[in-house]
Amino acid sequence: MASALEARARSLLAGAGIELNGPGTSDITVHNPGFYGRVLRHGSLGLGESYMDSWWDCPNLDELFCRIFAAKLDRMSSRNLRGMALLLVSALSNQQKTKARSSQVALRHYDVGNDLFEAMLDRRMVYTTGLWEHAADLNEAQEAKLDFVCRKLELAPGMRVLDIGCGWGSFAKFAAEKYGARVDGVTLSKEQAALGQAQCAGLPVKLQVEDYREVSERYDRVVSLGMFEHVGYKNYRRYFATAQRCLAPGGKMYLATIGSNHTVHSTDPWIERYIFPNSHLPSIQQIGAAIEDRFALVEWQNWASDYDRTLMAWYTNFAAQWQRWAERYSDRFCRMWKFYLLSSAAAFRSKHLQVWQILLEAI
């Protein structure tokens, strides 16, 4: 006979078209009955941790999460104690105020291992969405994305460009090779900076470990691809003030960021603990308030469908070498990474999250 907790879980999931121990590709097979209480008590954190611990499985996690997001079951996370604690901490403190706090995501995520990212990403190591409209594979999609950014910025030979959150130097190298730009990139990841600088050898590119708030030089263009998610809503005005200070009036900035459909002040508890500590996804309202009196909005696009396809390509690459990563990091890590990639793909597929491409002009 099913317990009260199992009956409650079964009822909630049925509303999303998900059957416990059912035959469908988006159904959940439970291996440990503790799963029910863990998820009902801890929401997304309990769901993710119990998957990492092999308490349950699902043939297609991305399909499962599309159903969860469509039924808005994810909103249960904000009602549990962990979700409320995150909201309170975010409201009372500035989680990204200091360089030490901002560096936590570099230590726990971006420095996890260059070999993992080299195997998972495209040949240029772009860790943001590609542009798939005319692309046949991940490499083409990412080159199309980089070229799109350069064209939107109207790059010309000799232009000085600041890349905030430069990653492994994918944009910097492309802009220098293809457009003759001189690029300075800043990141808080030592692993990214070291590999990126090696890959940009011989080009007018300088990548260094530095907080964006410390940059004081003047540039013709500013670009930031997939870093704004780590700024924190209490620092948005300062972020754009820094970018404006680095540009002459009329100078262009290209910002790519994942976005939330509604204004929030904390992140998902599982993402916060295991993937991106101290992260925050902005809303349109928050970005609009932050750029006011500093930048004119030139263009705003949403590439959510492209990010879905990009994440699925990353997962294919990652899964192809599962045993290698299990031996190096553990099977629990592999299940965590799978959960991260496929739940993220579903978030963009279902329009639960967006990914914005924003062109701005300093005023």
Side-chain angles (χ1 to χ4, degrees):
M1 183 175 178
S3 68
L5 290 174
E6 179 180 346
R8 173 63 174 155
R10 188 178 296 277
S11 175
L12 286 170
L13 292 171
I18 301 164
E19 184 179 349
L20 285 174
N21 302 312
T25 57
S26 59
D27 289 334
I28 290 175
T29 298
V30 177
H31 308 304
N32 187 321
F35 162 81
Y36 309 112
R38 195 171 183 181
V39 173
L40 290 172
R41 284 192 301 270
H42 303 294
S44 70
L45 184 63
L47 185 68
E49 288 184 334
S50 60
Y51 182 78
M52 292 162 61
D53 292 337
S54 300
W55 284 21
W56 63 275
D57 278 298
C58 173
N60 288 318
L61 280 179
D62 51 317
E63 291 183 17
L64 169 68
F65 274 96
C66 280
R67 292 178 179 270
I68 287 174
F69 293 137
K72 296 181 171 54
L73 295 187
D74 58 292
R75 295 190 179 181
M76 290 179 58
S77 299
S78 62
R79 300 171 192 160
N80 60 55
L81 291 177
R82 174 65 179 172
M84 289 187 286
L86 275 177
L87 185 61
L88 182 62
V89 168
S90 178
L92 297 178
S93 64
N94 186 341
Q95 294 293 89
Q96 303 82 8
K97 184 176 181 178
T98 66
K99 183 176 180 180
R101 291 201 64 87
S102 296
S103 298
Q104 288 182 8
V105 69
L107 295 172
R108 289 169 54 184
H109 186 82
Y110 296 105
D111 288 348
V112 68
N114 282 334
D115 58 340
L116 186 153
F117 288 107
E118 285 178 301
M120 185 180 81
L121 305 179
D122 65 298
R123 60 177 170 239
R124 289 186 177 273
M125 296 185 71
V126 183
Y127 198 22
T128 61
T129 181
L131 177 59
W132 287 89
E133 184 178 6
H134 302 295
D137 56 32
L138 182 61
N139 288 323
E140 290 186 10
Q142 295 294 17
E143 291 219 355
K145 158 68 174 292
L146 296 175
D147 191 62
F148 180 91
V149 176
C150 290
R151 286 186 286 109
K152 286 295 180 181
L153 288 171
E154 299 178 337
L155 289 190
M159 277 189 174
R160 295 197 69 207
V161 182
L162 171 64
D163 185 350
I164 301 176
C166 61
W168 294 275
S170 55
F171 171 82
K173 184 177 181 181
F174 186 90
E177 287 177 336
K178 305 295 184 181
Y179 285 82
R182 296 178 294 147
V183 186
D184 289 349
V186 295
T187 175
L188 293 179
S189 168
K190 295 179 181 179
E191 294 292 329
Q192 286 186 330
L195 179 58
Q197 192 61 65
Q199 292 180 335
C200 293
L203 294 170
V205 171
K206 180 178 70 175
L207 309 181
Q208 58 188 4
V209 178
E210 184 177 6
D211 191 285
Y212 73 91
R213 290 164 285 204
E214 299 169 355
V215 178
S216 59
E217 295 185 51
R218 183 63 69 89
Y219 295 88
D220 300 298
R221 301 287 188 265
V222 173
V223 64
S224 186
L225 308 178
M227 177 272 180
F228 194 65
E229 299 89 336
H230 306 301
V231 170
Y233 72 98
K234 292 186 177 181
N235 305 304
Y236 288 167
R237 287 288 287 175
R238 185 175 180 183
Y239 173 90
F240 284 110
T242 300
Q244 182 195 41
R245 185 182 70 235
C246 292
L247 286 168
K252 289 183 172 59
M253 176 181 185
Y254 190 104
L255 175 71
T257 180
I258 298 171
S260 174
N261 290 328
H262 55 282
T263 297
V264 296
H265 298 99
S266 62
T267 193
D268 174 84
W270 186 84
I271 291 290
E272 163 73 22
R273 176 173 290 186
Y274 290 99
I275 307 298
F276 297 121
N278 302 324
S279 61
H280 173 262
L281 299 184
S283 67
I284 292 174
Q285 181 185 63
Q286 288 169 324
I287 293 177
I291 66 174
E292 187 174 340
D293 296 326
R294 293 195 170 107
F295 286 92
L297 175 62
V298 178
E299 187 174 305
W300 191 311
Q301 296 187 23
N302 182 11
W303 292 8
S305 297
D306 291 277
Y307 217 162
D308 171 22
R309 192 167 175 182
T310 301
L311 280 152
M312 295 305 293
W314 290 347
Y315 175 68
T316 297
N317 291 341
F318 174 80
Q321 299 190 52
W322 183 283
Q323 192 56 41
R324 173 187 174 188
W325 310 128
E327 290 173 356
R328 174 167 178 176
Y329 298 102
S330 78
D331 189 66
R332 190 173 192 266
F333 172 89
C334 288
R335 290 178 68 90
M336 176 192 79
W337 208 258
K338 178 180 179 179
F339 191 90
Y340 153 55
L341 293 174
L342 295 184
S343 63
S344 297
F348 294 111
R349 190 180 311 162
S350 62
K351 299 301 188 291
H352 173 72
L353 294 179
Q354 317 303 330
V355 58
W356 295 319
Q357 312 296 312
I358 306 171
L359 184 63
L360 303 169
E361 185 175 303
I363 56 177

